[in-house]
Short mmCIF file of all heavy atoms in Angstrom, two decimals:
data_model
loop_
_atom_site.label_atom_id
_atom_site.label_comp_id
_atom_site.label_asym_id
_atom_site.label_seq_id
_atom_site.Cartn_x
_atom_site.Cartn_y
_atom_site.Cartn_z
N PRO A 1010 157.63 41.37 77.40
CA PRO A 1010 156.93 41.79 76.21
C PRO A 1010 155.84 42.79 76.55
O PRO A 1010 155.10 42.62 77.50
CB PRO A 1010 156.33 40.47 75.68
CG PRO A 1010 157.18 39.40 76.28
CD PRO A 1010 157.61 39.92 77.61
N SER A 1011 155.73 43.84 75.76
CA SER A 1011 154.77 44.89 76.05
C SER A 1011 153.52 44.77 75.24
O SER A 1011 152.47 45.27 75.62
CB SER A 1011 155.40 46.27 75.79
OG SER A 1011 155.73 46.39 74.42
N SER A 1012 153.57 44.14 74.09
CA SER A 1012 152.37 44.05 73.27
C SER A 1012 152.55 42.94 72.25
O SER A 1012 153.63 42.43 72.03
CB SER A 1012 152.11 45.38 72.55
OG SER A 1012 153.20 45.70 71.69
N HIS A 1013 151.44 42.60 71.61
CA HIS A 1013 151.44 41.57 70.58
C HIS A 1013 150.96 42.19 69.28
O HIS A 1013 149.97 42.91 69.25
CB HIS A 1013 150.52 40.40 70.96
CG HIS A 1013 151.04 39.63 72.13
ND1 HIS A 1013 151.94 38.61 72.00
CD2 HIS A 1013 150.78 39.72 73.46
CE1 HIS A 1013 152.21 38.10 73.19
NE2 HIS A 1013 151.52 38.76 74.09
N GLY A 1014 151.65 41.88 68.22
CA GLY A 1014 151.23 42.35 66.93
C GLY A 1014 150.12 41.49 66.37
O GLY A 1014 149.68 40.53 66.98
N PRO A 1015 149.65 41.79 65.14
CA PRO A 1015 148.58 41.02 64.53
C PRO A 1015 148.91 39.56 64.37
O PRO A 1015 148.04 38.72 64.33
CB PRO A 1015 148.39 41.73 63.17
CG PRO A 1015 148.93 43.12 63.37
CD PRO A 1015 150.03 42.98 64.36
N THR A 1016 150.21 39.24 64.27
CA THR A 1016 150.58 37.84 64.10
C THR A 1016 150.84 37.16 65.42
O THR A 1016 151.20 35.99 65.47
CB THR A 1016 151.85 37.75 63.22
OG1 THR A 1016 152.91 38.46 63.86
CG2 THR A 1016 151.61 38.31 61.84
N GLY A 1017 150.66 37.88 66.52
CA GLY A 1017 150.84 37.26 67.83
C GLY A 1017 152.24 37.38 68.37
O GLY A 1017 152.50 36.98 69.49
N GLY A 1018 153.18 37.96 67.60
CA GLY A 1018 154.53 38.08 68.10
C GLY A 1018 154.64 39.20 69.11
O GLY A 1018 153.95 40.20 69.05
N ALA A 1019 155.56 39.06 70.02
CA ALA A 1019 155.73 40.06 71.08
C ALA A 1019 157.05 40.78 70.87
O ALA A 1019 158.00 40.24 70.33
CB ALA A 1019 155.70 39.41 72.45
N HIS A 1020 157.09 42.05 71.28
CA HIS A 1020 158.36 42.75 71.24
C HIS A 1020 158.64 43.32 72.61
O HIS A 1020 157.76 43.52 73.41
CB HIS A 1020 158.34 43.85 70.17
CG HIS A 1020 157.33 44.93 70.44
ND1 HIS A 1020 156.02 44.85 69.99
CD2 HIS A 1020 157.42 46.09 71.12
CE1 HIS A 1020 155.37 45.94 70.37
NE2 HIS A 1020 156.18 46.72 71.07
N GLN A 1021 159.92 43.59 72.85
CA GLN A 1021 160.35 44.02 74.17
C GLN A 1021 160.31 45.54 74.27
O GLN A 1021 160.62 46.25 73.33
CB GLN A 1021 161.78 43.53 74.45
CG GLN A 1021 161.93 42.03 74.47
CD GLN A 1021 161.44 41.42 75.76
OE1 GLN A 1021 161.26 42.10 76.75
NE2 GLN A 1021 161.21 40.12 75.75
N ALA A 1058 147.22 47.32 73.38
CA ALA A 1058 148.45 47.97 72.94
C ALA A 1058 148.52 48.04 71.42
O ALA A 1058 149.03 48.99 70.85
CB ALA A 1058 149.66 47.21 73.48
N VAL A 1059 147.99 47.03 70.76
CA VAL A 1059 147.98 47.00 69.29
C VAL A 1059 146.57 46.65 68.84
O VAL A 1059 146.02 45.63 69.27
CB VAL A 1059 148.98 45.96 68.73
CG1 VAL A 1059 148.87 45.88 67.22
CG2 VAL A 1059 150.40 46.31 69.14
N GLN A 1061 143.82 45.03 66.72
CA GLN A 1061 143.79 43.90 65.80
C GLN A 1061 143.39 44.38 64.41
O GLN A 1061 142.67 45.36 64.24
CB GLN A 1061 142.78 42.86 66.29
CG GLN A 1061 143.16 42.19 67.59
CD GLN A 1061 144.35 41.27 67.42
OE1 GLN A 1061 144.59 40.75 66.34
NE2 GLN A 1061 145.10 41.07 68.48
N ARG A 1280 148.25 39.70 78.45
CA ARG A 1280 148.21 40.65 77.34
C ARG A 1280 147.16 40.30 76.31
O ARG A 1280 147.42 40.28 75.10
CB ARG A 1280 149.61 40.79 76.72
CG ARG A 1280 150.57 41.47 77.68
CD ARG A 1280 151.97 41.64 77.10
NE ARG A 1280 152.77 42.46 78.00
CZ ARG A 1280 153.33 42.01 79.11
NH1 ARG A 1280 153.20 40.75 79.44
NH2 ARG A 1280 154.02 42.82 79.89
#
Side-chain angles (χ1 to χ4, degrees):
S1011 63
S1012 61
H1013 292 275
T1016 59
H1020 63 271
Q1021 298 282 343
V1059 176
Q1061 294 290 333
R1280 292 180 172 79

